[in-house]
Amino acid sequence: MADSNTIRLRVFSLNCWGIRYLSKHCRERYAMIGELLSREEHDIVLLQEVWSEKDFLCLKRKLSSTHPHSHYFKSGVIGSGMATFSRHRIHDAFLYRYSLNGYPYMAHHGDWFGGKAVGMVILNIGSLAAHVYITHLHAEYSREKDSYLPHRVVQAWELQQFIRHTSSGADLVILAGDLNLHPQDLGNRLLRTYTGLRDSYTETAKFDGCEDGITLIADNPFINPKELCPFEKGIRIDYILYKGSGRVSIQCESLSTTKGSVPDHPFPYSDHEALSAELQLQTLTQQAGGDETRGDQDCAAGKLAELVDIVTEARTEVKVGLYCAERMRYTAARTGVMGLALLLLELAIAAVPWLGADQPFPRASFYLLGVLCFAILITTFLLYIFYTMEVKSLQGAEDQMRLAVGSLQERLRRFPLAQPLNPLCRPPDRQDPCPLEPEE
C-alpha cells in the first residue's frame, strides 16, 4: 500500500427544534447545546431548525474559541434554520432552495415558510478540499396519507443533483441533516445510490446510541408517541453521510447518538437525538493503475440497473403528484370562474337603480355578498398561480428524470451481458470515483 497520512475528523449534527416562544425550554436547551459543543470540540457542527438568527448569534459567541468559523443560511420567510460551525476556515458558501416545499395554506406545518434548502460550505482540512452539505427536507406528518411525498422526492432529486454537480473537485464530501426519510424510503435510495454517499450508521465500526440508530425516539418528552405510529420505538431520519475520492479513503470509526434526557437535566437537547461521527481520512499518495476488471464492470452495471429502477420509481411518484396538482389547479380555476360570475351578477344588480327600479336586495347583504365574491376571486387566483408553479416544477423534475433514465439505459447497454448483474456489489475501500457520476 502507498504511504498515506491519516486525519481524524469529528462531525456533529442535530435538529435543534428551535422555534422561539413555541418550542419548549428553547433558551435552556440552546445553553445546553452550546455547553456540549464547547466541551466536545467537534471539527464540524451542522445544526438544523435554528429558526432565530439571535439564537445563532448566541451560539456563535459561545463557540468563538472552539469553532471560530461559522455560517448561517438565510432563506424563505423565517429562514432555512441551518447553521454551520467549524474549527477549519470556511472559504466559500452557497445555498440552493428547493423548487417545491409544501403549501403556504398549511400554516400549521410551516415547512413552506422555512424555505427548505441545501447549504454548502467549502473547507480545507490540511491539504484536502472538503465539501460539506447541510439540509432539512420536508416533514412527513402522516405515513399512510403522505400528501407531501412528491415534494420530498423532488427535493431528494434536486439534492443529489446539487451534490453531484458541485462536488466534482472535492477530496471528501459530507452531508448531514434531518432528511425526514426512513433508511429504505425512495428519496433516501435515490440520494445514496446516485451520489455514492455512505451511511455512517451502517458503515461504522463502533456504535453507541439508541437502538437501531433511531433519532426520533418515542421516549422523548417533547414528542407525542401517536405521531410516530406505526413505529412504536421511533424512527431514524437524521443522517451523517460521506464519501471520499480517488485521493482520499474514508472510514467511519465510530458513531454515537444522544439517548433522551441529558444527565443532570430534566429534558433532552431537542426532540431529535444528536449524531456524532468520527471519520478517519487516509490520504493516498499514489493511485493504483490498471484496466477495469470484469468484477468492477459487473458492479458498475449492477448499480446502473438498480439506479434505473429507482429513478423510474421516483418518476412514477412525481407523475402522481403532477396529476394531483393539475386537479387542484383545475378546481381553483373552476371556483374562480364561479366567483367571477357571481361578481358580474352583483355588478348587474348594482346597475338596476340606474334603470329607474328599486334595489332588489338589502344594501348590507348586497355589499357583504360582493365582498365575498371578490375574496373568492382573489383567493382562487392566487391558488391558481401557486398550483401552476407546482405543476411546472413537477413537470421539470419529471422531464429531468426521463432524460436521466434514457442516459442510464444507454450507458447500461455498453456493458457486456455475459454474466448476471450484482446490484448489491459494494465499492472498494479505496473509494475510487463513483461510476455513476455524470459523463463529461
Side-chain angles (χ1 to χ4, degrees), residues 385-419:
I385 292 177
F386 175 81
Y387 286 121
T388 298
M389 294 171 62
E390 182 184 16
V391 166
K392 296 293 185 182
S393 296
L394 289 168
Q395 287 175 337
E398 197 273 330
D399 288 342
Q400 294 168 13
M401 292 177 182
R402 173 175 51 81
L403 292 173
V405 169
S407 176
L408 290 169
Q409 289 174 336
E410 177 64 27
R411 292 170 62 184
L412 187 59
R413 283 192 288 269
R414 301 176 190 172
F415 288 92
L417 299 178
Q419 298 181 11

Side-chain angles (χ1 to χ4, degrees), residues 320-334 387 390-391:
V320 172
L322 179 60
Y323 173 75
C324 294
E326 288 176 337
R327 285 188 58 188
M328 294 299 292
R329 182 174 66 170
Y330 176 72
T331 301
R334 284 190 59 184
Y387 286 121
E390 182 184 16
V391 166

Side-chain angles (χ1 to χ4, degrees), residues 100-380:
L100 292 174
N101 188 39
Y103 306 101
Y105 52 81
M106 301 293 285
H108 59 295
H109 288 164
D111 293 75
W112 185 85
F113 297 93
K116 295 293 178 65
V118 51
M120 176 186 75
V121 294
I122 299 178
L123 314 171
N124 279 345
I125 301 174
S127 61
L128 305 178
H131 289 206
V132 181
Y133 300 85
I134 177 174
T135 193
H136 185 191
L137 302 190
H138 198 293
E140 187 175 62
Y141 295 109
S142 174
R143 188 70 176 175
E144 296 180 354
K145 299 180 180 179
D146 187 7
S147 58
Y148 299 112
L149 179 57
H151 285 213
R152 200 159 50 254
V153 170
V154 171
Q155 287 181 347
W157 173 257
E158 293 178 347
L159 174 59
Q160 64 84 15
Q161 282 187 313
F162 182 76
I163 292 175
R164 286 192 302 118
H165 294 304
T166 59
S167 64
S168 58
D171 294 312
L172 65 145
V173 175
I174 296 172
L175 168 66
D178 177 5
L179 299 184
N180 277 310
L181 296 169
H182 295 233
Q184 294 305 316
D185 279 358
L186 172 60
N188 207 330
R189 289 183 283 120
L190 180 66
L191 170 65
R192 289 187 288 110
T193 306
Y194 230 132
T195 60
L197 289 167
R198 300 160 63 187
D199 187 352
S200 57
Y201 173 72
T202 59
E203 299 285 338
T204 186
K206 178 182 177 182
F207 176 73
D208 179 24
C210 300
E211 182 180 356
D212 298 325
I214 292 172
T215 58
L216 206 62
I217 62 176
D219 293 338
N220 192 299
F222 300 136
I223 292 178
N224 181 358
K226 294 181 180 179
E227 297 177 355
L228 297 177
C229 291
F231 306 97
E232 296 181 357
K233 296 181 180 180
I235 55 179
R236 182 164 80 94
I237 58 176
D238 300 86
Y239 300 85
I240 295 178
L241 309 176
Y242 63 90
K243 73 172 182 177
S245 63
R247 186 185 173 197
V248 179
S249 173
I250 304 182
Q251 300 296 330
C252 183
E253 287 195 332
S254 66
L255 176 71
S256 63
T257 71
T258 52
K259 305 175 184 178
S261 295
V262 180
D264 301 325
H265 292 84
F267 43 79
Y269 293 109
S270 174
D271 60 343
H272 289 239
E273 302 305 317
L275 289 83
S276 180
E278 184 169 336
L279 306 177
Q280 178 179 288
L281 316 179
Q282 192 171 52
T283 306
L284 305 173
T285 57
Q286 297 179 4
Q287 297 188 27
D291 296 333
E292 187 179 23
T293 66
R294 175 68 194 188
D296 291 336
Q297 291 180 351
D298 288 344
C299 182
K303 287 184 178 181
L304 285 172
E306 180 187 12
L307 192 52
V308 168
D309 293 337
I310 293 174
V311 177
T312 301
E313 183 181 352
R315 186 182 173 194
T316 301
E317 194 60 54
V318 170
K319 285 182 177 180
V320 172
L322 179 60
Y323 173 75
C324 294
E326 288 176 337
R327 285 188 58 188
M328 294 299 292
R329 182 174 66 170
Y330 176 72
T331 301
R334 284 190 59 184
T335 307
V337 169
M338 292 175 58
L340 179 61
L342 287 174
L343 187 60
L344 293 176
L345 181 61
E346 281 273 299
L347 295 175
I349 294 174
V352 169
W354 293 91
L355 301 177
D358 294 332
Q359 177 62 260
F361 294 110
R363 187 178 298 272
S365 300
F366 179 79
Y367 288 148
L368 182 61
L369 183 60
V371 170
L372 179 61
C373 293
F374 186 75
I376 292 174
L377 187 61
I378 293 296
T379 302
T380 53

